[in-house]
Structure formats: C-alpha cells, structure tokens
Amino acid sequence: MNFNELSVLRPDLAFIAHWIKPGAHILDVGCGDGVMLDYLQTDKQCSGYGIEIADERVLASTKRGINVIQQNMENGLAIFADKAFDSVLCLSSLQMMVNVEAILRDIARVGREAIVSFPNFA
C-alpha cells in the first residue's frame, strides 16, 4: 500500500503516518483491519505487530499480511518487554477501554514513544 492509497482509505491515518520513522518497530494497539501497519510495512519498511480482539478484523489484518495477535487489551501488554517498540500506536481505540490508565502505562512501558488518537464524535 502506498501513501495515496492510505490517504483515500483513511485520511486520519495518513496524517499520523508522517510521524513514524522509516524502519521503525511498531505495535498497533487496536489495529482494526491492519491498514496502517500495511502502509508502514510496505511504504516505510517498518516491522511490528497489531493487537485486535474482533474476529473479522483479525482476519482482515491477516489477509493484509499483518502479524496480528488476537487479545483483549484490558489484559495488558505483559507479553512484551520494556521498550520493545520504537512506537506504539493506539488510534481511535482507547475510548473503548475500561481501565484506561493501566493501558496507557503499559503502552508507555513497551514503547519508546506513543501516538494516541481519539475520534471526534461531535
């Protein structure tokens, strides 16, 4: 996937994609259908994993060639070491969590930097 394709599918993600350095190791929390990791892997030569709970989104991510772990984020990120990733993305999924503080602490623990976004329901 190239930047133009990402811009058409998800302009919000295209804006954020500029912040990711080429070759970075990424964790995408709540990766959905994997479109962001697809772009980062093919156009920016990044590596990493997505985490998603929904069966249909895990399948969609897998079809894109994304390494995806099916897991409920409420269980945390204990499977990853401290600073295991250059960047952790949590894009428009945090508002679905109950224990937000614990999840944010885990995101900060496993990543050197984090990018968190929220949808605008207004």
Side-chain angles (χ1 to χ4, degrees):
M1 170 173 302
N2 63 40
F3 186 76
N4 290 334
E5 293 169 325
L6 179 64
S7 296
V8 169
L9 285 175
R10 294 287 307 271
D12 57 323
L13 298 183
F15 178 80
I16 293 167
H18 287 299
W19 299 339
I20 306 297
K21 295 176 183 147
H25 192 54
I26 305 294
L27 178 64
D28 190 352
V29 176
C31 68
D33 64 1
V35 69
M36 181 65 139
L37 276 172
D38 185 7
Y39 166 73
L40 292 173
Q41 288 178 358
T42 57
D43 206 53
K44 289 194 146 188
Q45 293 72 49
C46 293
S47 62
Y49 299 91
I51 296 180
E52 180 58 54
I53 192 169
D55 292 338
E56 66 280 357
R57 292 181 177 171
V58 170
L59 181 59
S61 291
T62 303
K63 286 180 179 179
R64 289 183 184 277
I66 304 304
N67 294 318
V68 62
I69 299 165
Q70 188 169 23
Q71 176 177 316
N72 184 340
M73 278 308 304
E74 299 290 344
N75 297 332
L77 299 173
I79 61 174
F80 300 112
D82 293 357
K83 305 302 178 212
F85 298 92
D86 297 314
S87 295
V88 178
L89 309 176
C90 186
L91 308 176
S92 298
S93 58
L94 195 62
Q95 77 279 357
M96 296 179 218
M97 308 297 168
V98 174
N99 194 0
V100 173
E101 182 179 350
I103 293 165
L104 287 173
R105 287 184 190 279
D106 246 2
I107 287 171
R109 179 185 63 79
V110 302
R112 290 180 182 84
E113 70 177 12
I115 300 172
V116 178
S117 72
F118 302 90
N120 181 353
F121 293 115

